[in-house]
Amino acid sequence: MSTHADMSAQPVEVPAWRDRKRYMWLWGLFAPAGLFVIGLPLIWALNELGWHRLAQVPFWLGPILVYVLIPIADVFFGPDGDNPPDEVMEYLENDRYYRYLTYLYLPFQYATLLMAAYLITADDVSWLGIDGGLHVVDKIGLAITVGMIGGIGINTAHELGHKKVDLERWLSRIALAQSCYGHFYIEHNRGHHVRVATPEDPASSRVGETFWAFWPRTVWGSLKSSWQLEKARLDRLGKKSWSLRNEVLSAWLMSAVLFAALVAVFGIELLPYLILQAVVGFSLLEAVNYLEHYGLVRQRTASGRYERPAPVHSWNSDHIVTNIFLYHLQRHSDHHAYPTRRYQTLRSWDGAPNLPSGYASMILLAYFPPLWRRVMDKRVLAHYDGDITRANIDPGKREKVLARYGSAATETGMSGQARRRQRSVTTEGSAHAGKDTA
C-alpha cells in the first residue's frame, strides 16, 4: 500500500494488508465528472453522426447511472466481503489519500452545476451540434442529472460532516448548499444518530409507510428537528435564535447566496431548474433514508428508555459498486456504531440485517410500494421472528399491518441459529454503540 498518511519523525510500519478498493474509489468521482467525461463528448459525437434524437439521452445521465447502470453493475460484480483487519485500522484512518477523494467531489460537483446553468440558459449551443438552445426536455433531464449529483453530494457531505476537522465540516456545508439541505448537517448528527430506529425519528421509516408518505414526513420533520436542536443549543448559550449563529439560518443563507448569484449571472429563467434539481437532490437522500431503517425499532428497556443502537437496527448491503459510489454508506450498522470512522475503515457486520440488493436497486424499488412491501415486509417479519408487533409500524396503518402479518409467526420466522446470531450481534453492537459520536 502506498503511504499518504501523516509522517512523523519515526518510520511508519506499513501493514501487509492491502486495500483492493484503493483505486476503485476514484470511480466515486465519475458521478460529478460524468457530464464532462462522457455526457458532452457523447452528445457532440451523436449529433455529428446525425443521430439527434439519441443525442438527447446523455442529458439524462444522472438517472441512467443511478437507476440502471449501478444496479446492473451491483448484480454483475456482487458483494464486497472485504473488511480491513484491526491491525490496519489506525493506519488506514490516517491515510489522507481517502479524504482527498471526498474533497475532490466538490469542485466537480460545482463545475457541473455551472456548466448545466450555462447550457440551460444559452441561446446557442451549436458547438454541441445543436441548433439554437436546448429543448425543454433536455433542460429537464439536465436539471435532474445535476440534482442527482447534488444528492450524491449530500452523501459526500454526510461523510465530511461527521468528522472533527473544521475544514471538512465547512466542506460539508458547501456540498449541501446546492440542494438547499444545509439543515441536514445539524439534524443528522445531533438528531438522527440519537433517535435512530425509534418512532420519534423523522428519518426512520415504518412498516406500512410508503416512500411517498415518508417523504413529506421526513422532509418537514427533519427541518423542524434541526431548528429545535439549534434553538435549544443557542438558548443554552443565552443567544438569539434569529441570528447567523444559528447554523440552520447560516446554511440556508449559503443556498440563497448561491442561487442568487447563479440567477444574477445566467438569468431568472434558470430558477425553476435550480429548484427542480434541489428537490431531486434531497429526495434522493430521503429515498436512502427510507430504506436504511425500514421497520426496525429499538425496544424499550425496563427503565423505559430505548435500548442503545445496535447493528440489528440498520439495513445493510455490501454490494461493491454502490459501496464505491456512496463511500461505504451501505455498511450502515458500523457507521452508527462509529459515526466519526472514515469510510475506508467501515466494516460489514455478520448477523446484521441485509437488503437483497444494493442501495441503488432498492431506491428504485421504494418508488413502487406494492413491490417494496412484497420484498421488504417479509424480511422485517423474519427479522423479528414473526412478531410484527416488535417492528416500527406506521400508526395510521397499524391495524392493517397487524391484520396482514399478525398471524404470520407460524409461517415466517428465523431459525434457532439465526436467532442466536441476531442476539450475538445485538450484544456486540450495543457494547460499541454510542462511542465515538459526533
Side-chain angles (χ1 to χ4, degrees):
M1 178 185 294
S2 60
T3 57
H4 296 267
D6 293 331
M7 298 297 178
S8 62
Q10 300 297 322
V12 176
E13 182 180 351
V14 181
W17 180 84
R18 301 177 70 86
D19 180 12
R20 69 186 182 94
K21 299 195 294 289
R22 182 177 182 85
Y23 298 108
M24 293 183 194
W25 293 112
L26 288 166
W27 277 103
L29 297 175
F30 177 78
L35 183 66
F36 297 99
V37 176
I38 296 291
L40 296 180
L42 189 57
I43 292 167
W44 174 84
L46 292 172
N47 279 321
E48 284 294 303
L49 292 171
W51 300 345
H52 302 297
R53 290 290 186 187
L54 195 58
Q56 293 179 289
V57 174
F59 288 114
W60 297 80
L61 182 62
I64 292 171
L65 175 67
V66 172
Y67 299 137
V68 180
L69 298 181
I70 294 178
I72 290 174
D74 268 339
V75 172
F76 184 79
F77 290 100
D80 182 351
D82 191 19
N83 279 341
D86 290 339
E87 58 268 23
V88 306
M89 293 293 278
E90 183 178 359
Y91 177 85
L92 200 58
E93 271 286 316
N94 293 322
D95 190 338
R96 289 182 174 269
Y97 164 79
Y98 295 95
R99 70 182 71 178
Y100 291 155
L101 293 181
T102 58
Y103 298 174
L104 279 173
Y105 191 99
L106 272 70
F108 286 119
Q109 174 185 346
Y110 277 92
T112 300
L113 176 63
L114 289 171
M115 175 56 75
Y118 158 71
L119 291 172
I120 286 171
T121 57
D123 294 326
D124 181 12
V125 287
S126 56
W127 56 277
L128 277 176
I130 299 172
D131 293 333
L134 298 187
H135 299 293
V136 172
V137 67
D138 299 332
K139 295 179 181 181
I140 293 173
L142 186 55
I144 292 174
T145 290
V146 170
M148 290 193 158
I149 292 169
I152 299 173
I154 296 178
N155 181 62
T156 307
H158 167 262
E159 169 66 23
L160 295 168
H162 272 294
K163 303 305 173 280
K164 298 177 181 179
V165 180
D166 287 342
L167 171 62
E168 291 178 293
R169 292 181 179 239
W170 271 107
L171 291 176
S172 174
R173 298 176 191 184
I174 292 170
L176 291 167
Q178 176 183 330
S179 300
C180 297
Y181 230 54
H183 59 278
F184 170 81
Y185 173 85
I186 295 97
E187 155 57 22
H188 180 81
N189 289 2
R190 286 150 49 193
H192 174 64
H193 272 262
V194 174
R195 298 180 301 230
V196 61
T198 68
E200 290 79 20
D201 180 31
S204 295
S205 59
R206 305 156 176 173
V207 174
E209 182 179 38
T210 69
F211 168 71
W212 306 107
F214 171 77
W215 186 91
R217 182 174 73 84
T218 189
V219 170
W220 172 248
S222 297
L223 191 157
K224 181 180 177 182
S225 173
S226 64
W227 181 267
Q228 291 171 340
L229 289 166
E230 266 303 272
K231 185 178 185 303
R233 181 183 73 87
L234 293 170
D235 285 346
R236 288 193 299 270
L237 297 173
K239 305 296 183 182
K240 295 180 179 179
S241 300
W242 290 93
S243 71
L244 290 182
R245 291 179 180 270
N246 186 322
E247 293 185 345
V248 174
L249 291 179
S250 61
W252 291 345
L253 181 60
M254 289 179 68
S255 295
V257 170
L258 172 64
F259 278 37
L262 289 172
V263 169
V265 172
F266 296 103
I268 192 65
E269 65 180 293
L270 179 64
L271 185 58
Y273 298 100
L274 286 176
I275 295 172
L276 173 61
Q277 67 83 29
V279 173
V280 168
F282 68 70
S283 296
L284 188 62
L285 163 75
E286 298 301 357
V288 171
N289 277 338
Y290 177 76
L291 57 91
E292 284 177 332
H293 305 282
Y294 179 76
L296 304 179
V297 67
R298 289 149 57 193
Q299 307 299 325
R300 297 276 189 181
T301 64
S303 66
R305 303 181 66 180
Y306 287 112
E307 62 183 326
R308 303 187 77 175
V312 294
H313 299 129
S314 299
W315 290 102
N316 296 262
S317 174
D318 205 27
H319 285 72
I320 189 168
V321 176
T322 303
N323 266 347
I324 292 297
F325 277 90
L326 293 183
Y327 302 117
H328 270 161
L329 182 66
Q330 298 180 127
R331 295 181 170 185
H332 209 60
S333 289
D334 202 29
H335 168 66
H336 272 279
Y338 302 96
T340 61
R341 178 173 282 178
R342 293 188 181 276
Y343 69 92
Q344 67 270 22
T345 58
L346 290 174
R347 296 184 284 190
S348 293
W349 290 75
D350 290 336
N354 274 279
L355 297 167
S357 188
Y359 276 16
S361 304
M362 299 306 294
I363 289 170
L364 187 59
L365 196 67
Y367 296 153
F368 301 94
L371 294 178
W372 173 265
R373 287 195 299 268
R374 176 171 294 187
V375 170
M376 286 304 299
D377 284 9
K378 63 184 179 182
R379 286 175 166 81
V380 175
L381 193 63
H383 180 71
Y384 288 112
D385 202 14
D387 185 0
I388 197 65
T389 63
R390 294 168 57 198
N392 188 3
I393 302 175
D394 184 352
K397 301 290 181 63
R398 188 172 185 83
E399 290 186 8
K400 187 175 181 180
V401 169
L402 292 178
R404 180 181 299 164
Y405 302 116
S407 61
T410 57
E411 301 174 11
T412 307
M414 288 191 281
S415 65
Q417 181 182 4
R419 286 194 294 271
R420 288 191 295 273
R421 185 169 65 247
Q422 176 173 323
R423 284 195 295 270
S424 173
V425 77
T426 300
T427 303
E428 182 181 358
S430 295
H432 297 296
K435 297 180 181 179
D436 200 25
T437 54

